[in-house]
């Protein structure tokens, strides 16, 4: 039995299907640009950047590879190979876990932290321009709440976030030894 054009049109134009497609298009557009900017600024691949970013979000900037794999939704084998490459490149170090003799803690090295900072100084303005500048303050809050609600109901959960969105201070975006001439908190976001 063949499905008619009208039936297909109803499925193709389904609200969930089109919304999901739009989310994927937005993610692809912003993500592709982000990976290019991160690599140009720091030499880090997207995966290396994500590992260093996730480590920076953990208390003491360290966690186990099992927890990191969970954070990133990586297979243990894929993460093990990535960690070995990053360790060989001097981006992170393994330390014995103080209370679990079977586990090791992963920590970024000074070199890894430096490259993460370089990447973030390039990445934050790009994300701000792509995700925040087109929206008013209220729209940003609504978007944050909607994304949080959807992630809360997913298997992934949300990324740890501050209690209320805060722009980074200009000094965090400036290169070391360079004054920042733009203050992101001074931007006007009128509709």
């Amino acid at each position: 039995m063949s499905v008619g054009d009208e039936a297909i049109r109803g499925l193709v134009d389904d609200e969930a299907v089109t919304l999901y497609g739009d989310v994927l298009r937005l993610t692809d557009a912003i993500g592709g640009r982000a990976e290019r900017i991160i690599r140009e600024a720091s030499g880090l691949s997207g995966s290396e950047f994500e590992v260093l970013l996730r480590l920076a979000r953990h208390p003491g900037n360290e966690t186990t590879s099992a927890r990191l794999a969970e954070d990133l939704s990586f297979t243990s084998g894929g993460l093990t190979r990535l960690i070995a490459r990053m360790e060989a490149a001097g981006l992170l170090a393994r330390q014995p876990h103080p209370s679990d003799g079977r586990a090791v803690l992963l920590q970024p090295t000074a070199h890894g932290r430096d490259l993460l900072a370089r990447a973030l100084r390039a990445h934050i303005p790009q994300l701000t321009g792509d995700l925040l500048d087109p929206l008013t303050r209220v729209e940003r809050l609504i978007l944050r709440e909607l994304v949080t609600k959807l992630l809360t109901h997913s298997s992934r959960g949300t990324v740890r976030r501050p209690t209320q969105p805060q722009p980074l201070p200009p000094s965090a975006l400036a290169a070391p030894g360079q004054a920042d001439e733009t203050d992101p908190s001074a931007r006007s976001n009128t509709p």
Side-chain angles (χ1 to χ4, degrees):
M1 180 171 132
S2 176
V3 178
D5 287 344
E6 222 172 280
I8 291 289
R9 178 59 47 208
L11 296 171
V12 169
D13 292 338
D14 179 83
E15 180 181 12
V17 171
T18 56
L19 179 60
Y20 180 66
D22 287 343
V23 169
L24 289 178
R25 287 180 58 208
L26 181 63
T27 301
D28 185 54
I30 293 171
R33 214 164 82 90
E35 283 201 32
R36 187 175 62 255
I37 286 169
I38 287 166
R39 185 171 296 281
E40 289 170 1
S42 66
L44 294 171
S45 71
S47 296
E48 292 167 338
F49 173 80
E50 283 297 324
V51 165
L52 293 171
L53 182 65
R54 300 304 169 116
L55 287 174
R57 287 187 173 138
H58 280 277
N61 297 322
E62 62 185 16
T63 193
T64 64
S65 58
R67 176 56 202 242
L68 193 59
E70 183 182 312
D71 286 353
L72 296 167
S73 295
F74 279 26
T75 64
S76 61
L79 184 60
T80 299
R81 288 187 297 276
L82 177 60
I83 288 169
R85 285 194 310 270
M86 291 179 70
E87 188 175 29
L91 300 173
L92 59 78
R94 301 178 211 218
Q95 303 296 327
H97 194 287
S99 61
D100 184 348
R102 299 167 297 154
V104 295
L105 290 173
L106 303 172
Q107 302 170 319
T109 62
H111 179 58
R113 286 189 303 273
D114 178 55
L115 293 182
L116 177 62
R118 286 185 202 178
L120 286 168
R121 280 193 291 272
H123 186 48
I124 290 170
Q126 177 249 325
L127 286 179
T128 300
D130 289 345
L131 287 175
L132 301 181
D133 285 348
L135 304 175
T136 66
R137 187 121 184 92
V138 171
E139 289 169 333
R140 291 178 192 183
L141 293 172
I142 292 168
L143 178 62
R144 178 77 250 161
E145 289 304 312
L146 293 173
V147 168
T148 298
K149 185 175 187 175
L150 291 172
L151 283 172
T152 299
H153 287 57
S154 77
S155 61
R156 294 293 303 270
T158 60
V159 171
R160 188 191 75 180
R161 67 178 188 150
T163 53
Q164 75 183 131
Q166 298 287 327
L168 283 176
S171 60
L173 297 175
Q178 176 185 0
D180 184 16
E181 298 173 10
T182 61
D183 180 351
S185 63
R187 282 191 200 102
S188 170
N189 272 328
T190 54

